[in-house]
Amino acid sequence: MSIGTGRTELEDGIKLFRNENYQEAIDSLEKNFENKNDVESGYHLALAYAQIQNYDKTLETFDKIMRRLDNPLRIMQAHIIVGYIYAVKEMYDLAEFELLDALASGIENTQIYSVLGYIYYKKNNTRKAIDFLRKAVALDSQSANARNSLGFILADSGINIEEGISEIKKALNTDPKNPAYLDSLGWAFFKKNDINNAKEFLTKAFEIAPNNKDIKEHLIKLDQLGYKK
C-alpha cells in the first residue's frame, strides 16, 4: 500500500495505527523498527501487536524499548499492557510486578486497580483483590468491568453476596447483554441459593456466548445442584 510520497514509514505507520488499520501499521512500523531500532516506531509497533492480540510479539517489542522510554505516561501504559498480558497468560507474579511498577509512577489508574484485583483473586488473596477493585470503582464509578469483578468476587467468596449482586446489576445497567456480566449475576444468585434467578441469568449468558468455558461450568454446577435436590 502506498501512502503519499512525502511521508516516512514511521509517520505512515502511526497514521495507520490511529486509523485502526493495525496489520498495515505493523507492516510499516516493522520495517522502520528493524532499520532504526528507534523507540517511537517500537512503541507504536508494540501497541499495534497488542491490538491484534499477538501478545508474544507485544512482549518481545516492549522488552527491546522499555528501558529507553522516557515519557511517564508511555512508561505506565507499557507496564499496564505487559501486566495485562502476563495476567492473561496466568503468569500472575510477573503481572503483579509490572502493574505495581506502573502504580509507582504516582498516577492512579482504574485499569491498573482492576487488573490487580483480578490477579490477587487468582492468587487467592481475596481481601486484597476486593481492596483494589473498590479503589477502581471509587476512581471511576462508571467502570462496568470493575463493578462486575468486584461484585463477582464479593458473591463468589461469600463475603457479601447482596452487595455483590448490587454491583453486578450496576455493571449490567451499563451493558445489559454482556455475557460475562450475566454470568456473574447468575453465579451470584447461585451462591445465594436463588436457583430460579441463577438459571435465568446463566441461560441468558449461555445463549449469547455458548462457547464460554466459565459459563458452561457454572451451568453444570447448577444442574448438579438440581440433581442433588
Side-chain angles (χ1 to χ4, degrees):
M1 177 178 180
S2 175
I3 308 234
T5 55
R7 302 193 186 116
T8 66
E9 286 176 340
L10 173 59
E11 291 168 336
D12 291 346
I14 292 174
K15 182 177 180 180
L16 287 164
F17 173 80
R18 289 174 178 167
N19 289 334
E20 300 182 5
N21 297 317
Y22 299 121
Q23 188 56 59
E24 292 179 73
I26 287 168
D27 294 340
S28 180
L29 292 165
E30 271 183 335
K31 294 175 185 176
N32 204 67
F33 190 54
E34 286 172 6
N35 291 334
K36 299 182 180 179
N37 192 29
D38 63 304
V39 172
E40 192 69 16
S41 55
Y43 178 76
H44 285 90
L45 178 59
L47 295 183
Y49 279 135
Q51 288 291 339
I52 66 168
Q53 298 183 4
N54 188 335
Y55 293 147
D56 289 337
K57 280 289 189 180
T58 306
L59 293 175
E60 178 185 320
T61 307
F62 270 133
D63 186 59
K64 292 176 180 177
I65 65 165
M66 188 73 84
R67 292 177 181 82
R68 291 187 282 150
L69 289 172
D70 57 7
N71 181 309
L73 289 177
R74 286 191 174 185
I75 292 169
M76 183 183 72
Q77 186 66 24
H79 282 301
I80 291 173
I81 293 170
V82 171
Y84 172 79
I85 291 171
Y86 281 140
V88 169
K89 288 176 170 285
E90 299 182 3
M91 302 165 73
Y92 299 123
D93 289 340
L94 288 173
E96 177 187 9
F97 175 83
E98 291 290 339
L99 293 167
L100 291 177
D101 217 357
L103 279 181
S105 66
I107 300 173
E108 290 191 296
N109 182 282
T110 301
Q111 188 179 6
I112 297 175
Y113 288 145
S114 295
V115 180
L116 277 170
Y118 171 79
I119 290 166
Y120 286 124
Y121 178 67
K122 287 296 185 178
K123 293 179 74 171
N124 297 315
N125 192 335
T126 303
R127 291 290 181 182
K128 207 165 187 177
I130 290 171
D131 286 345
F132 273 102
L133 286 164
R134 288 197 189 283
K135 288 180 180 180
V137 171
L139 197 60
D140 180 7
S141 62
Q142 302 304 309
S143 175
N145 282 332
R147 286 197 179 277
N148 175 66
S149 296
L150 175 60
F152 178 85
I153 294 173
L154 285 168
D156 185 54
S157 64
I159 288 174
N160 193 327
I161 295 174
E162 289 299 336
E163 184 187 0
I165 289 171
S166 175
E167 288 294 335
I168 298 165
K169 284 182 175 179
K170 290 174 184 176
L172 272 169
N173 285 338
T174 301
D175 189 357
K177 294 185 179 180
N178 187 305
Y181 303 167
L182 290 166
D183 173 63
S184 292
L185 187 55
W187 186 247
F189 280 123
F190 176 87
K191 298 295 286 189
K192 188 182 176 182
N193 206 30
D194 183 341
I195 303 308
N196 289 334
N197 275 319
K199 184 176 181 179
E200 177 187 347
F201 287 101
L202 289 174
T203 301
K204 285 181 180 179
F206 181 75
E207 287 171 351
I208 297 170
N211 296 318
N212 184 285
K213 183 179 72 173
D214 292 333
I215 297 171
K216 287 180 181 179
E217 288 179 357
H218 290 162
L219 278 169
I220 289 169
K221 289 182 179 179
L222 181 65
D223 287 342
Q224 290 171 342
L225 183 65
Y227 290 136
K228 288 177 183 178
K229 290 185 175 182

